[in-house]
């Protein structure tokens, strides 16, 4: 690949070696080289120009006083250390943050395609981690409250008789473009924006290989058998906590059967039709920050026909 997929954190050091060092963690909160990213109920603070807003940790002690969940994200190639601060417990967070230009909390699903790749990777990482924390406040074994540790990368059950360690999870999902000569298979779900068509996708089930999941999902959703399954690339997809594993596969059958459970429709679309997509409410391709778009775009411009 010439470039990584959107939301991929290429060149980002997650600083695992410092997660168990309280003295180091305390020192970065007074460092000139560390910044805080506030997260509120899965939303990020951005300007009207869709630029993410962050705060220097050493000058915004008031932000840390808000008693949010603090999570070490890591350092970027320039050496800036980034931390996420989850302030979801606040009802009106904008009023308690340092005053800047017009800014508001927005969902990454909306602003993701409008921001640069570096910012997108940071916000995706922060969103995924804060989501995990909010949904693992109690132990799955005994039901006792859990406590954050390892700079936000582990939660420990507070019950002395249990003390189960819980680690951040990501759900593997396959996403695949099925092709047959100059045609590819696209479908649409009823919950999608009007006209949107995309590649098929689904979660990997226990005891299943990735290739098995590709074949099963295509068969279940569209009644198509596939062969020549080939891996393309992956993408972190924090909506809410997936890793999308991208594949190509060749159709071994072409008679579509949609059962109406996950898809409302599916069809074979010619390469030229997609290259000249009207991009309107009658027909348009997926959002440009998604791996589904990457798979379609690569195939559209490929000379391969089978």
């Amino acid at each position: 690949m010439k470039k990584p997929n959107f939301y991929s954190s290429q060149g980002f050091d997650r600083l695992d070696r410092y997660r168990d060092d309280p003295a180091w963690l305390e020192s970065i909160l007074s460092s000139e080289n560390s910044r805080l990213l506030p997260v509120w109920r899965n939303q990020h603070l951005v300007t009207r120009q869709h630029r993410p807003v962050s705060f220097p940790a050493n000058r915004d002690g008031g932000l840390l006083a808000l008693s949010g969940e603090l999570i070490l994200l890591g350092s970027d190639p320039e050496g800036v250390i980034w931390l996420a601060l989850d302030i979801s417990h606040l009802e009106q967070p904008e009023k308690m943050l340092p005053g800047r230009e017009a800014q508001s909390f927005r969902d990454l699903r909306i602003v993701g395609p409008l921001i640069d790749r570096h910012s997108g990777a940071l916000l995706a990482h922060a969103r995924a981690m804060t989501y995990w924390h909010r949904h693992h406040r109690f132990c799955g074994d005994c039901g006792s409250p859990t406590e954050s540790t390892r700079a936000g990368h582990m939660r420990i059950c507070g019950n002395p008789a249990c003390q189960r360690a819980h680690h951040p999870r990501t759900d593997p999902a396959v996403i695949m473009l099925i092709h047959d000569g100059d045609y590819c298979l696209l479908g649409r779900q009823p919950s999608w924006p009007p006209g949107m068509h995309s590649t098929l996708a689904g979660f990997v089930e226990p005891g299943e290989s990735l290739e098995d999941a590709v074949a099963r999902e295509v068969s279940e959703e569209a009644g198509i058998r596939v062969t020549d399954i080939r891996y393309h690339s992956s993408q972190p997809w924090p909506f809410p906590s997936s890793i999308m594993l991208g594949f190509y596969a060749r159709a071994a059958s072409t008679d579509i059967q949609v059962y109406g459970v996950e898809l409302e429709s599916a069809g074979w679309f010619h390469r030229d039709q997609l290259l000249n997509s009207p991009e309107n409410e009658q027909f348009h391709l997926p959002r440009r920050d998604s791996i589904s778009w990457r798979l379609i775009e690569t195939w559209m411009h490929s000379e391969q026909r089978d």
Side-chain angles (χ1 to χ4, degrees):
M1 292 192 304
K2 293 183 179 179
K3 59 184 178 181
N5 289 315
F6 210 85
Y7 301 125
S8 299
S9 54
Q10 294 282 320
F12 195 78
D13 184 349
R14 300 198 172 211
L15 301 174
D16 176 81
R17 58 196 177 276
Y18 293 118
R19 293 174 184 171
D20 293 312
D21 187 341
W24 182 87
L25 292 170
E26 185 65 28
S27 71
I28 65 171
L29 296 179
S30 59
S31 168
E32 291 283 346
N33 214 30
S34 57
R35 300 193 69 85
L36 298 173
L37 278 171
V39 182
W40 181 72
R41 301 177 185 178
N42 291 331
Q43 299 182 47
H44 303 277
L45 193 64
V46 297
T47 66
R48 287 180 179 174
Q49 293 75 37
H50 305 110
R51 296 190 182 95
V53 176
S54 63
F55 302 93
N58 68 316
R59 292 196 297 275
D60 284 303
L63 204 61
L64 295 176
L66 298 179
S67 301
E69 193 85 62
L70 189 65
I71 304 162
L72 173 66
L73 300 178
S75 63
D76 62 24
E78 285 70 44
V80 178
I81 298 172
W82 293 89
L83 303 101
L85 184 68
D86 189 353
I87 53 175
S88 298
H89 61 290
L90 301 178
E91 292 300 324
Q92 295 180 307
E94 292 96 337
K95 294 183 178 180
M96 305 185 72
L97 297 176
R100 300 288 175 91
E101 58 183 300
Q103 55 196 29
S104 60
F105 281 95
R106 302 290 303 280
D107 195 323
L108 189 59
R109 285 182 180 272
I110 297 173
V111 302
L114 307 174
I115 61 180
D116 65 275
R117 287 175 174 267
H118 168 72
S119 298
L122 269 174
L123 298 189
H125 187 184
R127 175 185 172 122
M129 289 299 296
T130 54
Y131 177 89
W132 175 75
H133 274 279
R134 288 198 306 277
H135 288 80
H136 288 80
R137 300 205 180 281
F138 296 90
C139 178
D141 279 2
C142 71
S144 300
T146 60
E147 298 177 358
S148 177
T149 186
R150 297 207 75 232
H153 290 265
M154 182 189 293
R155 295 190 72 90
I156 297 290
C157 176
N159 178 0
C162 179
Q163 295 187 322
R164 172 73 180 269
H166 301 271
H167 301 271
R169 295 288 188 265
T170 189
D171 301 318
V174 291
I175 184 165
M176 45 276 170
L177 186 138
I178 312 304
H179 54 86
D180 179 45
D182 277 319
Y183 290 85
C184 74
L185 178 67
L186 301 180
R188 66 166 279 106
Q189 296 182 10
S191 61
W192 289 350
M196 176 177 156
H197 288 69
S198 186
T199 53
L200 306 190
F203 288 106
V204 181
E205 295 187 351
E208 189 174 50
S209 71
L210 301 181
E211 293 81 1
D212 288 343
V214 168
R216 174 184 56 77
E217 284 290 344
V218 177
S219 176
E220 289 178 353
E221 293 187 2
I224 299 294
R225 292 181 291 106
V226 300
T227 186
D228 190 22
I229 300 171
R230 295 176 292 112
Y231 175 75
H232 177 266
S233 62
S234 64
Q235 179 186 41
W237 193 247
F239 307 113
S241 54
S242 299
I243 176 73
M244 306 301 296
L245 306 159
F247 288 85
Y248 288 110
R250 183 163 51 88
S253 65
T254 57
D255 184 18
I256 297 173
Q257 298 180 42
V258 173
Y259 303 104
V261 177
E262 297 185 45
L263 298 180
E264 67 175 17
S265 65
W268 292 103
F269 296 85
H270 194 275
R271 191 185 307 257
D272 292 339
Q273 181 181 357
L274 301 185
L275 287 168
N276 296 286
S277 171
E279 296 299 286
N280 55 31
E281 290 193 355
Q282 280 67 53
F283 183 90
H284 68 90
L285 295 172
R287 51 191 290 166
R288 299 314 191 248
D289 61 339
S290 65
I291 189 175
S292 52
W293 162 252
R294 184 74 178 277
L295 292 170
I296 295 169
E297 179 191 37
T298 302
W299 178 82
M300 285 192 300
H301 296 284
S302 170
E303 295 182 358
Q304 182 176 334
R305 293 296 186 269
D306 54 28

